[in-house]
Amino acid sequence: VVMDEMSSDDDSEDDNVRVDDVMVSSSEDELEESANGAGHFDTTEREMTRERRLAEGLSLSCSMSEAPDDEVRALVRKVSARLEEVDGAKEAELERDAERADMRDAEDLDEDGLAIAAAREKALMGDRSNCAGETSKIGGWDYGVEEAQEALRAFMEQINTRSNAANSYAHVGAVHVANAKGMTDAIMDTVDAGRPMCCAVGAGRRVAVGTDGGFIFLQRETKDKDTEVSCLRTANNFAGLSVTPSVTSLCFSERGEWLLAGYDDGGLALWDIKRNPTILKTIVGAHRTPVVALSMLPVLNASGAVDAISSEEGGLVIHHTFSPLGMGVIRVKSTSLGERTFVIAAQAMPRAHYTSAAEINAHENGIISPTWGETPSTFDAAKHVADGAGIVALCTMNAVLIMRLHPRAEVIAKIVRPPNTDMKVLPVMCWSPRNVDDIVVEEDVENCNLVVVWGSSVYVLAVKVEATRALQKMNSEHDKRSGNASQVLKSWSFDSNISVGAVAVAWLTQGVICVLSDRQKLHVCTPEGVNIEQMSLNEPPSSREITRTSHGQEVGSERLQCWNSTVTMHGVYLAILSPSRLRLGKLLGWRERVHAKKNANDWVGAFETLLQARDQKVAVWPILPKKFNDSELTKKKTLEILIELVPKFLIESLSARAPQVDNPVHQDAISRVVLGLFLAFDALELLYSPTIFGVFLHSKCESAFLERIVPHVMSDKLRALPVEVMQALVDHYAALGDADVIESRPR
């Protein structure tokens, strides 16, 4: 009755029906009064409450049918719009409240910068851990790595079906050895150069080779990073005749500015090779027999005096001190250290070095700097005890002697031949690099590491070097300690065959020891004895015969093979001199290994190295102290290299000239490799970039790739795919009559 009266033509001034007066319950007035009494009820809020209840009433009231449809729809749209406005306003207000709270917290912590930094770091680490947790839940990283590794194994099996293609790959590992073509050609092209006898590696990538014709071939780096080879030669005049003795030993100074050469007539020549090579000093008559070992120690003071050790085949060992006086004048003081100590090799302890900016920058980019270990630190007698002592290791036939030259010459340790070792086996040894961040000095004693190899047995020792001021006390405690100045830290065998002997050993970085065996195998190990890899060199280094004299009841002599002068090292470089060529080896960073494997067409090895580098699992990496290692930066750099390599891999593998390009199994293997790599790097969205996806779309591998990616397209990412990718999926499955594969995917 009320509705009829209100809707009469006479009383109605407006044709619109006042549905709100009918549908709002009587309890609204009480709600408004209570809210207004509290002073918190907003006008917009009150209107929204009325309209919300009105909408609810419209859906339930039996009189809803009496209202025109267009008016009901208009009212519902109005209510929905108002609801969205209120919800948006509430969210904006919540965001403003959160910002004000953050500002108040920041003001409270304004006086404590460390607290702010810690709070930000905690929040950042929390976000990362949450992301890692989510990734592991959906099987992202772990699943991706496993899938990538399995795909690479399958791809390797596929390419192995070709005509032994896998066997054509050049081996590229932690140490890359290659022919020094410029030096080799210069030796072979020089008339009367003779047979190569010895070699040396110095700072600045300098390399020198001496021949039995008396020539010294010097390779240096030019300003434009190219290399040039110079030919040096000396002659001794005797009875009016010019005689050129054979070069039997070479060594560089610490900075590579001087080159000391020993000859088979016992003479020595000191060359200045900083610019134009010139002879600074010649020493004649110091030795009576061929010089077999040379070593120059680092500079200790501002005077520039350099200590050097030389030994001859007859057993005489001499300590030389070269003091520059200016204007190219060098004064030499020589002192005999022993006349019956047959030293076949000598190596000075390297000077402590610090990590330079160039080394850090190269390390961050996955490269080992060519000048690694060549930045000497400022000498500090308290921190660098061994530098002030002038330590040198002398290798004899039956022992390794550790000698200090300052403040007086004395033997501080002796490593004797192990029991049950064949007397024909000669020892080889090498000092460990010394970084200032790794040096530990306790009670004026520094522990320096040395590796000694007898046959196939490797011994890593710690040699205790006392400070100079401690030696001045000269008490009984010192005498007792000096008698036991070395101890074995670790020992192992690099080959199970006891008949295998070591030709040379090189300690390239703190975590890499290379042992070259007489079977032409280069064994790369860690100081703990973990075998990283081994590679074949195919050609042995040159050797020289030395005479071993026996005393006692069985007096006699025998000739033994020695390789100490033909395999040398400096920093991360290794030089191996063979009768027909010179080879240089360098320890590679993860990026260098990836590109070297790629250049050798070993794509599987390149991608495996990239996966290992991403998770910091590459053998012997990193090489710098831990404080310079940034795992997040490494992950970023490895992803950049992946994006760079994948298009090249696809173009090469899918070109018309590629073997088995028409084989569906091969096409599927390629698709699986690429998909697995991007899953492992948690960067599936980068797979759809034009540089990668475009190659697939224009190749015979399109179908295999599209079918591979469908299971990995998340339901919430299907609409976010690029148009080209989505269109390719639709076209592919529509052509197969399986359009429902895409249409049935959850949106």
Side-chain angles (χ1 to χ4, degrees):
V1 176
V2 175
M3 289 289 292
D4 292 338
E5 293 178 354
M6 293 180 61
S7 59
S8 62
D9 295 337
D10 296 336
D11 299 334
S12 177
E13 298 179 357
D14 190 352
D15 294 337
N16 295 331
V17 179
R18 298 180 58 190
V19 183
D20 54 340
D21 294 337
V22 179
M23 295 302 174
V24 176
S25 63
S26 60
S27 60
E28 179 186 351
D29 296 335
E30 297 176 1
L31 179 62
E32 291 183 10
E33 292 176 359
S34 61
N36 288 329
H40 298 292
F41 197 90
D42 185 71
T43 304
T44 304
E45 190 86 5
R46 183 170 59 252
E47 293 177 359
M48 286 307 307
T49 302
R50 178 177 299 177
E51 291 172 350
R52 188 182 296 110
R53 291 176 178 174
L54 174 59
E56 294 174 354
L58 283 174
S59 64
L60 299 175
S61 174
C62 63
S63 60
M64 180 178 175
S65 59
E66 299 177 5
D69 292 341
D70 56 346
E71 294 180 356
V72 174
R73 285 193 293 268
L75 182 57
V76 170
R77 286 196 298 269
K78 180 179 179 183
V79 171
S80 299
R82 288 289 187 88
L83 285 172
E84 291 177 358
E85 292 177 1
V86 172
D87 292 340
K90 288 183 177 180
E91 291 178 0
E93 184 63 26
L94 290 174
E95 292 178 358
R96 287 193 293 270
D97 292 340
E99 292 177 357
R100 287 192 291 267
D102 292 340
M103 293 177 62
R104 288 194 299 269
D105 294 341
E107 291 174 356
D108 294 338
L109 296 175
D110 186 54
E111 297 179 357
D112 191 356
L114 292 177
I116 296 176
R120 292 177 178 175
E121 182 178 2
K122 182 178 180 181
L124 179 60
M125 295 305 295
D127 293 342
R128 290 180 179 176
S129 63
N130 292 336
C131 293
E134 292 297 327
T135 303
S136 62
K137 289 178 183 179
I138 64 174
W141 165 244
D142 294 336
Y143 169 77
V145 171
E146 294 176 0
E147 172 65 16
Q149 292 174 345
E150 181 63 30
L152 289 171
R153 285 192 291 268
F155 183 71
M156 176 60 76
E157 294 176 359
Q158 179 64 27
I159 62 177
N160 282 343
T161 59
R162 308 174 194 173
S163 56
N164 295 326
N167 297 329
S168 65
Y169 293 153
H171 178 81
V172 179
V175 179
H176 181 54
V177 180
N179 182 30
K181 189 176 184 302
M183 180 73 82
T184 301
D185 292 345
I187 297 174
M188 295 302 174
D189 295 342
T190 302
V191 180
D192 298 332
R195 181 171 61 95
M197 296 287 292
C198 56
C199 66
V201 184
R205 303 177 64 183
R206 293 178 173 89
V207 185
V209 174
T211 68
D212 61 0
F215 288 85
I216 299 176
F217 294 90
L218 175 65
Q219 178 176 289
R220 294 175 295 177
E221 194 175 70
T222 60
K223 294 182 179 180
D224 56 357
K225 301 302 179 180
D226 199 1
T227 57
E228 63 177 7
V229 179
S230 305
C231 184
L232 318 180
R233 195 180 189 188
T234 61
N236 292 339
N237 293 321
F238 179 74
L241 299 176
S242 178
V243 180
T244 303
S246 300
V247 182
T248 56
S249 187
L250 293 168
C251 75
F252 286 95
S253 62
E254 175 192 12
R255 298 182 180 179
E257 298 177 352
W258 288 357
L259 175 65
L260 183 61
Y263 298 87
D264 65 351
D265 64 350
L268 299 172
L270 181 65
W271 291 82
D272 182 0
I273 58 173
K274 187 176 181 180
R275 295 180 180 86
N276 295 326
T278 56
I279 294 180
L280 292 176
K281 192 72 175 179
T282 58
I283 302 176
V284 180
H287 291 284
R288 300 177 297 274
T289 57
V291 178
V292 296
L294 290 174
S295 180
M296 300 182 75
L297 280 72
V299 178
L300 296 179
N301 49 53
S303 65
V306 178
D307 292 313
I309 298 292
S310 65
S311 68
E312 64 174 64
E313 192 171 320
L316 178 62
V317 181
I318 299 179
H319 171 207
H320 309 274
T321 301
F322 297 95
S323 302
L325 303 180
M327 303 297 293
V329 179
I330 301 293
R331 182 178 63 187
V332 182
K333 178 182 179 182
S334 301
T335 306
S336 174
L337 298 179
E339 297 184 359
R340 298 188 61 181
T341 305
F342 188 13
V343 175
I344 58 177
Q347 185 185 40
M349 178 182 293
R351 183 173 178 178
H353 68 275
Y354 70 88
T355 306
S356 65
E359 293 174 359
I360 297 175
N361 181 65
H363 184 268
E364 290 177 348
N365 288 279
I367 299 172
I368 298 180
S369 172
T371 59
W372 183 88
E374 296 181 2
T375 310
S377 62
T378 304
F379 174 68
D380 188 333
K383 296 181 180 179
H384 310 150
V385 172
D387 288 339
I391 303 297
V392 60
L394 306 177
C395 188
T396 69
M397 289 188 173
N398 296 311
V400 175
L401 307 178
I402 310 301
M403 175 171 282
R404 67 179 300 156
L405 301 179
H406 301 287
R408 64 180 183 278
E410 62 175 336
V411 176
I412 62 174
K414 183 178 181 179
I415 298 97
V416 298
R417 179 187 298 272
N420 303 322
T421 303
D422 193 334
M423 295 300 295
K424 295 182 179 180
V425 173
L426 300 178
V428 292
M429 48 77 183
C430 186
W431 288 105
S432 167
R434 299 169 60 235
N435 191 292
V436 294
D437 296 310
D438 299 325
I439 294 178
V440 177
V441 178
E442 296 181 354
E443 298 181 355
D444 291 334
V445 176
E446 178 184 346
N447 284 330
C448 304
N449 294 335
L450 176 74
V451 58
V452 180
V453 185
W454 298 81
S456 61
S457 300
V458 182
Y459 300 89
V460 177
L461 304 103
V463 179
K464 298 180 180 179
V465 180
E466 298 183 60
T468 302
R469 59 175 177 270
L471 293 179
Q472 295 174 352
K473 298 180 180 180
M474 295 299 297
N475 52 26
S476 59
E477 180 183 358
H478 160 68
D479 294 337
K480 181 178 180 181
R481 286 192 292 176
S482 62
N484 186 23
S486 66
Q487 65 179 21
V488 177
L489 300 178
K490 193 74 177 179
S491 64
W492 76 90
S493 178
F494 66 85
D495 198 305
S496 58
N497 190 347
I498 60 175
S499 63
V500 175
V503 170
V505 61
W507 201 327
L508 299 182
T509 68
Q510 290 288 355
V512 184
I513 294 177
C514 296
V515 182
L516 178 60
S517 71
D518 54 8
R519 304 291 176 88
Q520 294 85 58
K521 295 285 186 180
L522 184 64
H523 301 262
V524 183
C525 314
T526 66
E528 292 75 25
V530 179
N531 183 45
I532 300 172
E533 65 183 11
Q534 66 177 19
M535 55 185 298
S536 177
L537 296 182
N538 300 323
E539 184 179 357
S542 300
S543 63
R544 61 175 299 172
E545 290 186 344
I546 58 175
T547 303
R548 174 188 175 86
T549 304
S550 302
H551 301 280
Q553 297 180 354
E554 298 181 359
V555 179
S557 61
E558 59 179 333
R559 304 293 291 179
L560 300 177
Q561 298 292 322
C562 180
W563 294 270
N564 288 289
S565 60
T566 55
V567 182
T568 59
M569 58 83 59
H570 177 83
V572 292
Y573 285 93
L574 182 71
I576 304 173
L577 181 63
S578 300
S580 62
R581 58 177 174 168
L582 173 70
R583 287 168 291 178
L584 293 178
K586 180 185 182 294
L587 183 66
L588 303 181
W590 64 261
R591 185 191 291 251
E592 295 172 296
R593 296 182 215 178
V594 168
H595 284 291
K597 289 177 181 290
K598 186 262 296 183
N599 294 335
N601 291 326
D602 184 9
W603 284 104
V604 174
F607 289 137
E608 286 179 342
T609 303
L610 206 58
L611 286 172
Q612 294 170 355
R614 185 200 184 280
D615 203 29
Q616 298 282 310
K617 293 182 179 179
V618 173
V620 304
W621 187 265
I623 64 162
L624 299 185
K626 293 182 179 179
K627 70 177 186 179
F628 300 110
N629 183 33
D630 188 346
S631 59
E632 293 299 324
L633 182 60
T634 301
K635 292 179 181 179
K636 177 182 177 182
K637 295 292 184 179
T638 52
L639 180 58
E640 293 176 356
I641 298 299
L642 177 69
I643 298 173
E644 173 189 334
L645 290 183
V646 167
K648 298 178 182 178
F649 166 69
L650 292 176
I651 293 173
E652 180 177 320
S653 303
L654 299 176
S655 65
R657 296 175 295 177
Q660 301 191 20
V661 68
D662 296 324
N663 188 346
V665 178
H666 181 65
Q667 297 171 2
D668 183 70
I670 294 175
S671 302
R672 187 181 178 189
V673 166
V674 176
L675 178 62
L677 289 171
F678 280 93
L679 285 174
F681 279 80
D682 196 19
L684 194 61
E685 68 280 358
L686 299 178
L687 183 62
Y688 308 128
S689 63
T691 56
I692 299 176
F693 189 77
V695 177
F696 277 114
L697 290 184
H698 297 87
S699 69
K700 298 180 180 180
C701 201
E702 176 185 2
S703 299
F705 175 68
L706 292 174
E707 293 176 5
R708 276 281 176 186
I709 69 172
V710 168
H712 298 282
V713 177
M714 303 298 294
S715 60
D716 59 340
K717 295 294 181 64
L718 186 59
R719 290 183 178 274
L721 290 176
V723 177
E724 297 82 1
V725 179
M726 192 64 191
Q727 186 63 44
L729 287 170
V730 172
D731 293 344
H732 172 70
Y733 283 98
L736 297 177
D738 293 332
D740 56 340
V741 172
I742 299 299
E743 295 175 357
S744 62
R745 297 291 293 172
R747 297 297 194 267

